[in-house]
Amino acid sequence: MACYHCGETLPQVPVSLDIEGEARGFCCHGCAAAAEWIRQSKLDDYYRLRSTTAGRVEAMPDLASWDREDVLSEHAVPVAGGLEITLLTDGMRCAACAWLIDRALQREPGVFDSSANAVTGRIRIGWEPTTVRLSHLLGRLAMLGYRPYLAAGAVRERARVAEQRRWLMRLGVAGLGAMQTMMFSEALYLDFGHHMALATRDFFRWVALLVATPVVFYAGWPFLEGCWRELRQRRPGMDSLIAGSTLLAYFASAVETVRGGAQVWYDTATMFVFLLLAARLLEQRARRVASAQVDALARARPVLAVRENVDGSRESIPMSSLCVGDIACVAAGDVVPADGHLLDGEASFEEALLTGESRPVTRLPGAQIYAGTICRDRAARIVVTDVGVATRLSQLTRLVEQAQAHRPPMARVADRIGSVFVSTLLVLAVLVYVAWRMHDPSRAFEVTLSLLVVSCPCALSLAVPAALTASHGALARLGVLSVRTGGLENLARATDVVFDKTGTLTHVRLAVGDIRTFTTMDAATALQMAAALERDSRHPIAEAFSPVSTRFFASDVRETVGHGIAGCIDGRVWHLGRASFAGCREDDGRLWLGDGRRVVACFSLEESLRPHAEDAVAELRVLGLRVHLASGDAHEPVERLMRKLALRDARSRQTSEDKLALVRTLQDNGSVVAMVGDGLNDAPVLAGADVSIAMGEGAALAQRAADMVLTAPSLLRIPQAIRLARRTMRVIRQNFAWAVGYNLLALPLAITGHVTPAFAALGMALSSLAVTINALRLLRGSSMGPNA
C-alpha cells in the first residue's frame, strides 16, 4: 500500500513498474521515472542501502533561471576547470541519498567534481559551463526527488573547506617532517660510544634542520600566530607555551648545529607540532559536526524575484537586487522572497516555517507577509519592507551563529585557569633552569625544555571546549540546536519540566475528531467518502483523512480554491469543504460533506497528540524529573490531556504571566526549571526559565527567547538531550581530572630530569588526544532511529 520510492500511500490506481523482476507500485509517474532511471543506471544498490524512504518526486520545477549570468556570477565561484556552486536540498534523508546524488552527478558529462553531505543537506557541484548547463544537472537531481535550493552561507562553507585543506596540508608536512627528524635523531641517539664521525653527525643535524624548518614555520604557523595574538593582548595562554617551547627547541638546536654542540632537539620540535596539530584537527572535527546543523536553519528561497516596475511591467531580478519599497509579485505555489505587506485582495499563505500552522492562512490587504512562506491559491503582490538578513527568516540562523561565537562560562573559567597556570609555569621554568645550572649545567636547558613541553596545559584548555563541541554535535544529530551558551549545563541540572500544550504536546497537524451525520448515512460511510475525495489532494486538510482506509473511489476530483473539493463517487457528485459549498448552510469553521444542495455530515478537525508524547513524559519521569502542563486552552481539553498523559499538575487558561509565575514559584522552591513551548505567548516564560526549549516548527519569537530549538519531530529527543547533557557534565569532570592528574604526575618527573624533551612532547600530546577522544565519545549513539 506504500510507494516503493517515497513510501507515501498508493492511490486507487497506482503506477506499476517492474523492478528486479518484481512488480512495484508507485504513487505517481515522477517516482516511477526516478526508480526507472536508477535501475537503468545500475544504481539499484540505493534501495538496498537506504535507511529511510526518499522524498516524493514533485512536478519538475522551471530551472532555466539558474543558467542566467547574473545568478551564476552571484552564487557560483570560478575554480580550475569551470565553476563551483553549493546547493541545499531538503530531500537528502540518509547516507544512501548522498551516495546516489554523487553517482548521478558523476555520470553527467562536464561534471569534474561533486560531493553530497547527508548531515548538512549540502551538495557541491563543479562543472564546465561550456559542456553542460547547470539547469540540466539540477534537473537530474529534481527528477530523483532532490529539489535544489540556494544554500545559506555558501561563502562561509567554501572558506571552511579551504581552511580544512590548509590544516590537512600542515598536518601532512608535520607528519613527514616528524618521521624524518626522528629517523635522523634515532641515529644520533644510538651512537652511545660516540663512534660516529663528526662529519656524518653534522650532516644528519643539517638535514634535520632543513626538514624541521617548514614543520616549525609552516605547519606550526597557527600556534605562532596564536602566540603573537596572546602576547599582544597580554594574556599568555596555551599557544604562547606551544610556540615558545617549539621555537626554543628549534633555535637552540640550530645554535648547537652551527657551533657543533653536544645535543640537538629537532625531533622534539617537529613531534610537538605534529601531535598538537592532530589534536587540533580532532577538536575541529567535533566543532564541524556541531556547526553543521546551522544549515538545518537555511530555508528555501527563490533564485530570482519578480519585481513590478512603475509602468506595470514585470521583470525577473536576482534576490540581491530586490530593495525595500519594491513591489514583488509572487505566483501561486512560489516562495515569498522578502518580508512585506500584502497589496490588493486577500490571499492565503502557508506559514508552517514560521508559525507551525499547517493550514494555509488567509491574509487581508495590508497584512504582514514573511519571506519563506508559500503563496497558495492565487498570485499576490507584496510591497517589500525587509530583505536579505533583515528578514524574520534570517534571525534564527544569526542567533545560532552568535551563540557559537561566544564561549560558554565553563570554557572561560578553564581559559582563566590555563592562563594562570602558564604564567606560574614560566616562573617555575626560570627557577628550575637556575637550579639545574647550579647542579648540572650540561642538562639545565634540556630539563627546562622538558618541563615547558610536558606541562603545556593543552589538555586543561581542551577539557571543556572539546566536550561542549562534541556534545553540541551530538545534540544536533538528535535534532536539538543549542542557540545560547550555558543551556547545556542547566539542562543537565533540570529537576522540573513545564510543557505548553498546543503545538508542543499536541501536534499542529489536524485529525478528524467528532463526526455528525444528518441523514441515514452512518459516520463510518461519511468518513470513508471524505477520505476518498481527499485521497490525492496535497492540501493540509487532506492529511487528517490520510490514515482512513476507504472502499470508495472518487473520480473527476476538482478543487475550488478557498471553498473545498468535489468529486464523483458511485455516479453522484459530492462536495467536501465549507458548509456553503457542501450545502445551503452558514459557514461555522467545520468541514461539511454534501451534494451541493444539502449536507449529510460534518467533521470537527482537532489537534492530535504529538507522536511519542506519552513515551517522552514517561522517560522524563524515569530520569527523575517532575512534569507540569501549563496551557492557555480551556479546561476540558487540558483535563483530557492530563488524564491521557497521567500528569499530576495541569493548568488551563494560563496567560503568559501565569506561566511565568508558575516557573518563578518552582524556582523559589529550589527547582531548576526547563520550559518547552512553541508559540509567541511562550516567549516570556521561555526567557524566564533556567533552560528553555522551543519547538522548531513554532514561532520565531519563541525560538529567539529559547536556549535550544527542537528541530526533530519527536518529543523523545528531550529526555535524550537531558541524558546527553548529564553525560557531558560527567565527561567534563573526567577531562578536568585527567588534565590535572597528568600535570601533577608529569611536573615532578620533568623537574627531576627523568623525562627527555621527546618523551615530554609525546606525553603532552597524548594527554590532549586523550581528552579530545574522551569528548568524542559523546558523539557515539547520538544518532537515533527515525522513530525516536
Side-chain angles (χ1 to χ4, degrees):
M1 295 298 295
C3 175
Y4 179 67
H5 184 73
C6 71
E8 292 200 10
T9 305
L10 291 177
Q12 195 78 18
V13 183
V15 180
S16 183
L17 188 67
D18 182 77
I19 302 290
E20 296 180 347
E22 186 176 347
R24 302 287 188 178
F26 297 89
C27 63
C28 61
H29 289 283
C31 287
E36 176 64 13
W37 185 88
I38 292 172
R39 184 184 66 82
Q40 292 180 354
S41 301
K42 301 187 185 305
L43 297 174
D44 311 72
D45 283 345
Y46 163 72
Y47 292 111
R48 181 178 56 82
L49 295 171
R50 67 181 182 176
S51 58
T52 185
T53 55
R56 176 169 173 151
V57 180
E58 303 288 353
M60 282 289 290
D62 182 10
L63 300 169
S65 56
W66 290 83
D67 294 325
R68 289 176 47 141
E69 288 295 331
D70 47 7
V71 173
L72 292 177
S73 62
E74 182 178 354
H75 300 290
V77 293
V79 295
L83 296 176
E84 183 179 283
I85 192 169
T86 302
L87 308 170
L88 188 69
T89 182
D90 52 8
M92 204 183 328
R93 302 180 176 182
C94 65
C97 291
W99 177 86
L100 178 62
I101 290 171
D102 257 345
R103 300 304 187 279
L105 289 173
Q106 289 168 8
R107 290 169 182 264
E108 297 294 334
V111 175
F112 57 83
D113 188 22
S114 69
S115 67
N117 189 320
V119 176
T120 64
R122 284 178 175 268
I123 304 170
R124 183 169 52 84
I125 306 174
W127 82 103
E128 170 51 59
T130 59
T131 304
V132 62
R133 286 180 172 272
L134 179 60
S135 59
H136 172 77
L137 302 177
L138 302 187
R140 175 66 66 208
L141 296 179
M143 184 272 287
L144 293 173
Y146 307 106
R147 182 167 180 168
Y149 304 106
L150 288 173
V155 174
R156 184 178 65 249
E157 174 73 4
R158 287 194 294 271
R160 186 196 65 78
V161 170
E163 180 67 12
Q164 183 184 2
R165 288 173 177 170
R166 283 195 293 271
W167 275 85
L168 288 173
M169 178 64 75
R170 288 191 175 104
L171 183 65
V173 169
L176 289 172
M179 284 191 294
Q180 294 299 316
T181 52
M182 283 295 294
M183 182 178 66
F184 294 125
S185 299
E186 185 179 2
L188 296 173
Y189 291 148
L190 294 177
D191 184 25
F192 300 116
H194 301 289
H195 301 303
M196 183 182 294
L198 289 179
T200 304
R201 185 200 68 176
D202 291 342
F203 172 75
F204 281 161
R205 289 183 174 184
W206 281 105
V207 173
L209 172 62
L210 293 175
V211 173
T213 300
V215 174
V216 171
F217 294 102
Y218 170 71
W221 178 252
F223 306 118
L224 300 178
E225 189 177 36
C227 171
W228 175 246
R229 186 167 53 249
E230 289 173 353
L231 293 178
R232 281 196 308 173
Q233 296 172 354
R234 298 181 180 179
R235 292 177 57 187
M238 183 171 63
D239 283 346
S240 300
L241 203 53
I242 294 172
S245 302
T246 304
L247 292 176
L248 192 61
Y250 174 81
F251 283 116
S253 300
V255 170
E256 292 295 289
T257 299
V258 171
R259 71 183 188 90
Q263 194 170 356
V264 293
W265 302 273
Y266 293 118
D267 54 331
T268 301
T270 55
M271 187 191 302
F272 200 35
V273 171
F274 170 66
L275 294 174
L276 282 172
L277 280 174
R280 284 281 175 96
L281 278 173
L282 277 176
E283 182 192 2
Q284 287 180 3
R285 176 187 177 276
R287 290 187 181 277
R288 282 199 301 275
V289 174
S291 63
Q293 291 300 316
V294 175
D295 293 331
L297 305 175
R299 292 295 188 262
R301 66 187 183 106
V303 180
L304 301 173
V306 179
R307 182 175 62 190
E308 183 177 287
N309 297 320
V310 179
D311 59 1
S313 62
R314 297 181 178 182
E315 62 174 338
S316 295
I317 59 171
M319 290 290 296
S320 58
S321 300
L322 196 63
C323 302
V324 174
D326 286 346
I327 295 177
C329 302
V330 187
D334 282 357
V335 180
V336 176
D339 290 357
H341 295 293
L342 181 64
L343 300 174
D344 305 332
E346 69 177 37
S348 61
F349 296 86
E350 189 175 297
E351 300 180 346
L353 183 63
L354 298 177
T355 66
E357 175 58 57
S358 60
R359 287 177 292 181
V361 179
T362 300
R363 298 298 182 192
L364 299 176
Q368 180 73 52
I369 309 298
Y370 295 106
T373 58
I374 301 173
C375 182
R376 295 297 187 194
D377 300 339
R378 61 183 293 268
R381 296 168 65 242
I382 297 168
V383 58
V384 176
T385 57
D386 292 294
V387 296
V389 295
T391 61
R392 185 176 181 179
L393 190 61
S394 302
Q395 294 172 356
L396 184 57
T397 303
R398 200 157 56 246
L399 280 171
V400 176
E401 291 171 345
Q402 289 171 358
Q404 290 179 346
H406 288 81
R407 293 178 65 79
M410 292 180 66
R412 291 198 292 269
V413 169
D415 285 346
R416 285 197 294 271
I417 294 173
S419 181
V420 172
F421 182 85
V422 168
S423 301
T424 305
L425 182 64
L426 291 175
V427 174
L428 180 62
V430 173
L431 295 177
V432 168
Y433 180 78
V434 172
W436 272 90
R437 285 288 298 178
M438 297 169 61
H439 173 67
D440 186 355
S442 64
R443 296 198 61 200
F445 178 81
E446 178 184 338
V447 171
T448 305
L449 180 60
S450 297
L451 172 65
L452 289 173
V453 171
V454 80
S455 56
C456 181
C458 298
L460 187 63
S461 298
L462 285 173
V464 175
L468 289 181
T469 51
S471 180
H472 287 161
L475 281 173
R477 289 184 177 182
L478 286 175
V480 181
L481 295 178
S482 181
V483 296
R484 287 190 180 177
T485 59
L488 198 67
E489 182 181 2
N490 288 335
L491 186 64
R493 299 189 299 112
T495 59
D496 292 69
V497 180
V498 179
F499 280 99
D500 174 47
K501 183 180 83 72
T502 304
T504 305
L505 287 172
T506 60
H507 216 303
V508 292
R509 295 196 187 98
L510 300 176
V512 178
D514 183 49
I515 305 174
R516 295 183 59 191
T517 59
F518 304 96
T519 64
T520 57
M521 181 181 294
D522 60 88
T525 300
L527 180 62
Q528 290 186 36
M529 291 178 66
L533 290 169
E534 294 282 10
R535 177 188 288 274
D536 296 324
S537 173
R538 308 305 294 173
H539 196 281
I541 288 179
E543 293 184 14
F545 296 91
S546 59
V548 179
S549 299
T550 177
R551 68 179 186 273
F552 296 107
F553 174 72
S555 60
D556 298 326
V557 178
R558 59 190 182 280
E559 187 171 337
T560 303
V561 175
H563 294 279
I565 194 168
C568 185
I569 299 177
D570 293 341
R572 187 176 177 184
V573 176
W574 291 95
H575 295 234
L576 180 68
R578 292 186 176 184
S580 57
F581 178 68
C584 299
R585 294 180 67 98
E586 184 178 348
D587 293 328
D588 60 357
R590 289 183 291 179
L591 196 66
W592 292 79
L593 177 67
D595 59 5
R597 296 182 299 276
R598 66 190 183 97
V599 295
V600 297
C602 73
F603 307 89
S604 296
L605 301 181
E606 59 187 31
E607 297 172 330
S608 58
L609 192 64
R610 187 180 284 271
H612 312 113
E614 294 177 78
D615 295 335
V617 171
E619 284 289 312
L620 290 172
R621 290 200 190 97
V622 170
L623 290 172
L625 286 96
R626 296 179 289 271
V627 182
H628 310 264
L629 173 61
S631 172
D633 278 3
H635 177 74
E636 182 180 345
V638 172
E639 182 76 17
R640 193 163 55 241
L641 184 62
M642 182 181 74
R643 289 195 301 269
K644 192 165 188 177
L645 297 178
L647 297 175
R648 294 182 180 178
D649 182 20
R651 307 177 186 218
S652 58
R653 300 292 186 189
Q654 297 285 292
T655 63
S656 299
E657 292 77 10
D658 294 333
K659 294 178 183 180
L660 187 57
L662 170 63
V663 169
R664 296 292 188 224
T665 301
L666 292 172
Q667 290 171 331
D668 290 341
N669 292 332
S671 297
V672 178
V673 182
M675 173 68 194
V676 186
D678 83 315
L680 292 171
N681 62 324
D682 292 326
V685 65
L686 286 170
D690 295 289
V691 60
S692 51
I693 302 174
M695 307 303 291
E697 307 135 350
L701 184 58
Q703 294 173 351
R704 288 199 295 272
D707 299 299
M708 299 178 179
V709 177
L710 182 67
T711 60
S714 173
L715 290 174
L716 279 175
R717 304 301 196 186
I718 294 175
Q720 290 168 7
I722 293 174
R723 282 196 179 93
L724 179 62
R726 292 177 178 178
R727 282 180 58 206
T728 301
M729 294 302 111
R730 287 198 299 270
V731 166
I732 287 176
R733 289 192 291 270
Q734 291 167 3
N735 283 354
F736 265 124
W738 169 262
V740 173
Y742 163 77
N743 279 286
L744 289 177
L745 177 66
L747 277 173
L749 292 175
I751 291 173
T752 55
H754 288 88
V755 180
T756 65
F759 279 105
L762 181 62
M764 184 283 312
L766 288 178
S767 70
S768 300
L769 286 172
V771 165
T772 304
I773 292 171
N774 188 41
L776 288 175
R777 290 191 303 117
L778 293 168
L779 294 174
R780 291 209 315 262
S782 63
S783 182
M784 308 300 291
N787 294 330

